[in-house]
Amino acid sequence: MARKNIPQRSRSYESDDEERGACEWCEYALVITLATILLIGVSALTVFWVVYYRESYGWADDIPEKQFNLHPTLMVAGFITFSGFSILLYRICRCFRRIYVKLLHAIFHALAFPCIVIGFLAVLDFHNKKGINNFYSLHSWIGFVAMGLFGLQYAVGFFSFLLLLICSKGTASFRASLVPIHASFGILTFVLGVCACLTGLTEKALFTLGSETYSSLPTEGIVINAIGVSVVAVAILVLYTVRGTGGYRIRKVAQHPS
Protein backbone atom coordinates (compact mmCIF):
# COMPACT_ATOMS: atom_id res chain seq x y z
CA MET A 1 0.00 0.00 0.00
CA ALA A 2 1.49 3.31 -1.09
CA ARG A 3 2.07 5.92 1.58
CA LYS A 4 0.05 9.08 1.23
CA ASN A 5 1.96 12.30 0.98
CA ILE A 6 0.77 14.29 3.97
CA PRO A 7 1.75 17.95 3.79
CA GLN A 8 3.91 18.96 6.68
CA ARG A 9 2.81 21.94 8.73
CA SER A 10 5.16 24.89 8.68
CA ARG A 11 6.92 25.55 11.99
CA SER A 12 8.48 28.89 11.20
CA TYR A 13 6.67 32.09 10.40
CA GLU A 14 7.69 32.24 6.78
CA SER A 15 9.68 29.06 6.19
CA ASP A 16 7.57 28.44 3.10
CA ASP A 17 8.28 31.90 1.71
CA GLU A 18 9.86 32.29 -1.68
CA GLU A 19 13.63 32.53 -1.85
CA ARG A 20 15.10 36.01 -2.10
CA GLY A 21 17.99 37.18 -4.22
CA ALA A 22 20.95 39.12 -2.88
CA CYS A 23 19.51 42.50 -3.98
CA GLU A 24 16.15 41.73 -2.37
CA TRP A 25 17.85 40.79 0.90
CA CYS A 26 19.88 44.03 0.85
CA GLU A 27 16.72 46.03 0.24
CA TYR A 28 14.95 44.14 3.02
CA ALA A 29 17.80 44.70 5.52
CA LEU A 30 18.09 48.40 4.61
CA VAL A 31 14.38 49.10 5.03
CA ILE A 32 14.19 47.20 8.33
CA THR A 33 17.27 49.02 9.66
CA LEU A 34 15.97 52.45 8.66
CA ALA A 35 12.52 51.69 10.10
CA THR A 36 14.04 50.56 13.42
CA ILE A 37 16.23 53.67 13.66
CA LEU A 38 13.29 55.96 12.89
CA LEU A 39 10.90 54.18 15.27
CA ILE A 40 13.32 54.72 18.14
CA GLY A 41 14.48 58.12 16.89
CA VAL A 42 11.02 59.68 16.64
CA SER A 43 10.34 59.00 20.33
CA ALA A 44 13.83 60.21 21.29
CA LEU A 45 13.32 63.42 19.30
CA THR A 46 9.95 63.99 20.98
CA VAL A 47 11.53 63.61 24.43
CA PHE A 48 14.30 66.04 23.41
CA TRP A 49 11.73 68.60 22.24
CA VAL A 50 9.74 68.40 25.47
CA VAL A 51 12.75 68.47 27.80
CA TYR A 52 14.70 71.19 25.94
CA TYR A 53 11.87 73.50 24.85
CA ARG A 54 8.81 72.65 26.99
CA GLU A 55 10.32 72.38 30.52
CA SER A 56 10.10 68.58 30.83
CA TYR A 57 7.33 66.59 32.55
CA GLY A 58 5.17 66.72 35.67
CA TRP A 59 1.72 66.08 37.08
CA ALA A 60 1.00 69.01 39.39
CA ASP A 61 -1.90 71.45 39.64
CA ASP A 62 0.40 74.48 39.68
CA ILE A 63 2.16 73.56 36.42
CA PRO A 64 -0.43 71.80 34.21
CA GLU A 65 1.64 72.48 31.08
CA LYS A 66 4.21 69.94 32.23
CA GLN A 67 1.42 67.42 32.57
CA PHE A 68 0.34 68.11 29.00
CA ASN A 69 3.88 67.27 27.85
CA LEU A 70 3.17 63.64 28.68
CA HIS A 71 0.51 63.60 25.97
CA PRO A 72 2.64 64.00 22.82
CA THR A 73 5.46 61.88 24.21
CA LEU A 74 3.30 58.93 25.21
CA MET A 75 1.08 59.09 22.14
CA VAL A 76 4.10 59.03 19.82
CA ALA A 77 5.55 56.15 21.83
CA GLY A 78 2.28 54.20 21.81
CA PHE A 79 0.86 54.82 18.34
CA ILE A 80 4.15 55.09 16.43
CA THR A 81 7.09 53.39 18.18
CA PHE A 82 5.52 50.41 19.97
CA SER A 83 2.73 49.85 17.43
CA GLY A 84 5.22 50.20 14.57
CA PHE A 85 7.53 47.60 16.09
CA SER A 86 4.57 45.32 16.71
CA ILE A 87 3.65 45.46 13.03
CA LEU A 88 7.25 45.05 11.86
CA LEU A 89 7.67 41.88 13.91
CA TYR A 90 5.75 39.95 11.27
CA ARG A 91 8.52 40.82 8.81
CA ILE A 92 11.54 40.74 11.12
CA CYS A 93 10.96 37.46 12.99
CA ARG A 94 11.18 35.21 9.96
CA CYS A 95 12.69 32.18 11.71
CA PHE A 96 10.48 32.09 14.81
CA ARG A 97 7.50 29.82 15.31
CA ARG A 98 4.29 31.69 14.63
CA ILE A 99 3.10 31.47 18.24
CA TYR A 100 6.24 33.29 19.43
CA VAL A 101 5.72 36.02 16.84
CA LYS A 102 2.15 36.46 18.07
CA LEU A 103 3.33 36.71 21.66
CA LEU A 104 5.90 39.38 20.75
CA HIS A 105 3.25 41.17 18.72
CA ALA A 106 0.94 41.16 21.75
CA ILE A 107 3.73 42.28 24.11
CA PHE A 108 4.54 45.37 22.03
CA HIS A 109 0.87 46.25 21.84
CA ALA A 110 0.67 45.72 25.59
CA LEU A 111 3.47 48.28 25.97
CA ALA A 112 1.60 50.69 23.70
CA PHE A 113 -1.67 50.36 25.60
CA PRO A 114 -0.66 52.12 28.88
CA CYS A 115 1.17 54.81 26.89
CA ILE A 116 -2.01 55.64 24.99
CA VAL A 117 -4.23 55.50 28.08
CA ILE A 118 -1.96 57.68 30.25
CA GLY A 119 -1.37 60.09 27.38
CA PHE A 120 -5.12 60.46 26.91
CA LEU A 121 -5.77 60.97 30.62
CA ALA A 122 -2.97 63.55 30.81
CA VAL A 123 -4.46 65.79 28.13
CA LEU A 124 -8.02 65.27 29.38
CA ASP A 125 -7.08 66.33 32.90
CA PHE A 126 -5.03 69.24 31.50
CA HIS A 127 -8.03 70.53 29.57
CA ASN A 128 -10.26 70.26 32.63
CA LYS A 129 -7.76 72.17 34.77
CA LYS A 130 -7.40 74.93 32.15
CA GLY A 131 -11.10 75.09 31.29
CA ILE A 132 -10.53 74.01 27.69
CA ASN A 133 -13.27 72.14 25.84
CA ASN A 134 -12.63 68.50 25.01
CA PHE A 135 -13.07 66.79 21.62
CA TYR A 136 -13.66 69.90 19.54
CA SER A 137 -10.74 69.63 17.10
CA LEU A 138 -10.07 67.38 14.12
CA HIS A 139 -7.00 66.07 15.97
CA SER A 140 -9.10 64.91 18.93
CA TRP A 141 -11.66 63.24 16.67
CA ILE A 142 -9.02 61.31 14.74
CA GLY A 143 -7.25 60.40 17.97
CA PHE A 144 -10.47 59.17 19.58
CA VAL A 145 -11.24 56.91 16.60
CA ALA A 146 -7.65 55.62 16.60
CA MET A 147 -7.83 54.82 20.33
CA GLY A 148 -11.14 53.02 19.90
CA LEU A 149 -9.85 50.90 17.02
CA PHE A 150 -6.65 50.16 18.92
CA GLY A 151 -8.56 48.87 21.95
CA LEU A 152 -10.91 46.82 19.77
CA GLN A 153 -8.01 45.37 17.78
CA TYR A 154 -6.12 44.38 20.91
CA ALA A 155 -9.18 42.71 22.48
CA VAL A 156 -10.06 40.79 19.30
CA GLY A 157 -6.44 39.80 18.67
CA PHE A 158 -5.86 38.63 22.23
CA PHE A 159 -9.07 36.60 22.27
CA SER A 160 -8.95 35.06 18.80
CA PHE A 161 -5.22 34.48 18.26
CA LEU A 162 -4.09 33.65 21.80
CA LEU A 163 -6.97 32.42 23.96
CA LEU A 164 -8.59 30.39 21.17
CA LEU A 165 -5.33 28.49 20.70
CA ILE A 166 -6.44 26.44 23.72
CA CYS A 167 -8.75 24.73 21.25
CA SER A 168 -6.52 25.06 18.21
CA LYS A 169 -8.13 22.52 15.90
CA GLY A 170 -11.70 23.50 16.67
CA THR A 171 -11.11 27.21 16.07
CA ALA A 172 -8.64 26.99 13.18
CA SER A 173 -11.06 28.00 10.41
CA PHE A 174 -12.51 30.84 12.50
CA ARG A 175 -9.06 32.22 13.31
CA ALA A 176 -8.00 31.88 9.68
CA SER A 177 -10.98 33.97 8.55
CA LEU A 178 -10.00 36.73 11.00
CA VAL A 179 -6.40 37.03 9.76
CA PRO A 180 -7.00 39.38 6.78
CA ILE A 181 -9.54 41.44 8.76
CA HIS A 182 -7.21 41.81 11.74
CA ALA A 183 -4.27 42.72 9.48
CA SER A 184 -6.25 45.31 7.52
CA PHE A 185 -7.66 47.02 10.61
CA GLY A 186 -4.23 46.92 12.23
CA ILE A 187 -2.76 48.92 9.36
CA LEU A 188 -5.76 51.27 9.44
CA THR A 189 -5.26 51.88 13.17
CA PHE A 190 -1.57 52.61 12.64
CA VAL A 191 -2.34 55.08 9.84
CA LEU A 192 -4.96 56.83 11.99
CA GLY A 193 -2.41 57.05 14.80
CA VAL A 194 0.02 58.68 12.39
CA CYS A 195 -2.66 61.19 11.30
CA ALA A 196 -3.50 61.97 14.94
CA CYS A 197 0.17 62.62 15.74
CA LEU A 198 0.65 64.90 12.73
CA THR A 199 -2.48 66.97 13.39
CA GLY A 200 -1.58 67.14 17.08
CA LEU A 201 1.94 68.41 16.37
CA THR A 202 0.58 71.09 14.03
CA GLU A 203 -2.04 72.11 16.58
CA LYS A 204 0.54 72.31 19.37
CA ALA A 205 2.93 74.38 17.23
CA LEU A 206 0.22 76.90 16.31
CA PHE A 207 -1.16 77.18 19.85
CA THR A 208 2.23 77.43 21.56
CA LEU A 209 4.29 79.44 19.09
CA GLY A 210 1.51 81.35 17.36
CA SER A 211 1.01 81.53 13.61
CA GLU A 212 3.33 84.49 13.09
CA THR A 213 6.20 83.03 15.12
CA TYR A 214 5.72 79.57 13.62
CA SER A 215 5.74 80.99 10.09
CA SER A 216 9.14 82.55 10.76
CA LEU A 217 10.43 78.99 11.39
CA PRO A 218 12.07 79.27 14.81
CA THR A 219 14.32 76.52 16.14
CA GLU A 220 11.50 74.86 18.08
CA GLY A 221 9.35 74.94 14.95
CA ILE A 222 12.09 73.13 13.06
CA VAL A 223 12.24 70.46 15.76
CA ILE A 224 8.45 70.00 15.68
CA ASN A 225 8.52 69.74 11.89
CA ALA A 226 11.37 67.22 12.13
CA ILE A 227 9.24 65.07 14.44
CA GLY A 228 6.38 65.24 11.94
CA VAL A 229 8.60 64.33 8.99
CA SER A 230 10.04 61.42 11.01
CA VAL A 231 6.52 60.16 11.70
CA VAL A 232 5.72 60.32 7.98
CA ALA A 233 8.96 58.48 7.15
CA VAL A 234 8.13 55.80 9.71
CA ALA A 235 4.68 55.35 8.17
CA ILE A 236 6.12 55.02 4.66
CA LEU A 237 8.74 52.46 5.72
CA VAL A 238 6.38 50.40 7.88
CA LEU A 239 3.73 50.25 5.15
CA TYR A 240 6.38 49.45 2.54
CA THR A 241 7.81 46.68 4.71
CA VAL A 242 4.49 44.98 5.42
CA ARG A 243 3.10 45.39 1.93
CA GLY A 244 3.69 41.65 1.40
CA THR A 245 1.48 40.66 4.33
CA GLY A 246 -1.56 41.14 2.14
CA GLY A 247 -2.69 38.76 -0.57
CA TYR A 248 -0.16 35.97 -0.96
CA ARG A 249 1.27 36.02 2.57
CA ILE A 250 -2.11 36.28 4.27
CA ARG A 251 -3.26 33.25 2.34
CA LYS A 252 -0.16 31.43 3.57
CA VAL A 253 -1.01 32.27 7.17
CA ALA A 254 -4.66 31.40 6.67
CA GLN A 255 -3.65 27.87 5.68
CA HIS A 256 -1.78 27.44 8.98
CA PRO A 257 -3.35 29.94 11.43
CA SER A 258 -1.85 28.63 14.67
Side-chain angles (χ1 to χ4, degrees):
M1 184 175 179
R3 294 181 59 184
K4 294 182 179 180
N5 294 325
I6 301 175
Q8 296 296 318
R9 192 167 183 170
S10 176
R11 288 191 172 273
S12 64
Y13 181 65
E14 289 191 63
S15 61
D16 53 356
D17 197 7
E18 67 272 17
E19 293 185 0
R20 293 173 176 265
C23 292
E24 291 174 314
W25 273 113
C26 289
E27 175 194 4
Y28 170 81
L30 177 62
V31 171
I32 290 296
T33 301
L34 288 176
T36 302
I37 292 172
L38 283 172
L39 283 169
I40 297 173
V42 69
S43 283
L45 189 57
T46 305
V47 171
F48 167 77
W49 165 52
V50 169
V51 172
Y52 191 82
Y53 292 99
R54 297 287 106 203
E55 300 180 344
S56 193
Y57 305 96
W59 198 299
D61 293 337
D62 56 336
I63 314 178
E65 286 75 13
K66 288 188 176 184
Q67 176 180 321
F68 175 86
N69 292 339
L70 291 168
H71 176 67
T73 304
L74 291 176
M75 287 304 190
V76 168
F79 275 125
I80 306 302
T81 300
F82 288 131
S83 294
F85 271 123
S86 182
I87 295 172
L88 281 178
L89 282 173
Y90 281 98
R91 301 295 292 137
I92 296 174
C93 303
R94 303 174 62 84
C95 300
F96 289 11
R97 292 191 61 181
R98 199 165 290 120
I99 183 61
Y100 299 146
V101 178
K102 291 178 181 179
L103 287 174
L104 288 173
H105 182 73
I107 287 171
F108 272 94
H109 269 105
L111 293 172
F113 189 81
C115 290
I116 294 172
V117 171
I118 297 173
F120 169 70
L121 293 177
V123 71
L124 188 67
D125 190 52
F126 168 78
H127 280 187
N128 293 335
K129 289 176 179 178
K130 301 286 287 188
I132 303 173
N133 292 331
N134 294 303
F135 303 111
Y136 69 90
S137 65
L138 176 63
H139 163 65
S140 61
W141 285 27
I142 295 175
F144 188 77
V145 174
M147 287 189 297
L149 281 178
F150 180 89
L152 183 62
Q153 275 283 99
Y154 191 84
V156 171
F158 183 82
F159 175 75
S160 60
F161 296 110
L162 290 180
L163 290 183
L164 289 184
L165 286 178
I166 297 174
C167 183
S168 178
K169 293 183 179 180
T171 60
S173 60
F174 173 72
R175 287 182 289 111
S177 66
L178 281 179
V179 169
I181 299 173
H182 183 70
S184 298
F185 275 92
I187 296 299
L188 175 61
T189 303
F190 178 73
V191 171
L192 284 175
V194 168
C195 294
C197 289
L198 294 176
T199 53
L201 287 169
T202 303
E203 189 177 285
K204 178 63 176 176
L206 291 174
F207 286 173
T208 303
L209 302 177
S211 58
E212 292 186 5
T213 303
Y214 185 39
S215 64
S216 66
L217 204 60
T219 305
E220 183 177 359
I222 294 175
V223 173
I224 294 174
N225 288 350
I227 297 172
V229 171
S230 299
V231 170
V232 172
V234 165
I236 292 172
L237 286 173
V238 169
L239 295 178
Y240 178 81
T241 305
V242 302
R243 73 196 186 283
T245 56
Y248 172 77
R249 297 186 196 282
I250 283 181
R251 288 195 296 272
K252 290 279 189 180
V253 176
Q255 294 172 6
H256 306 296
S258 63

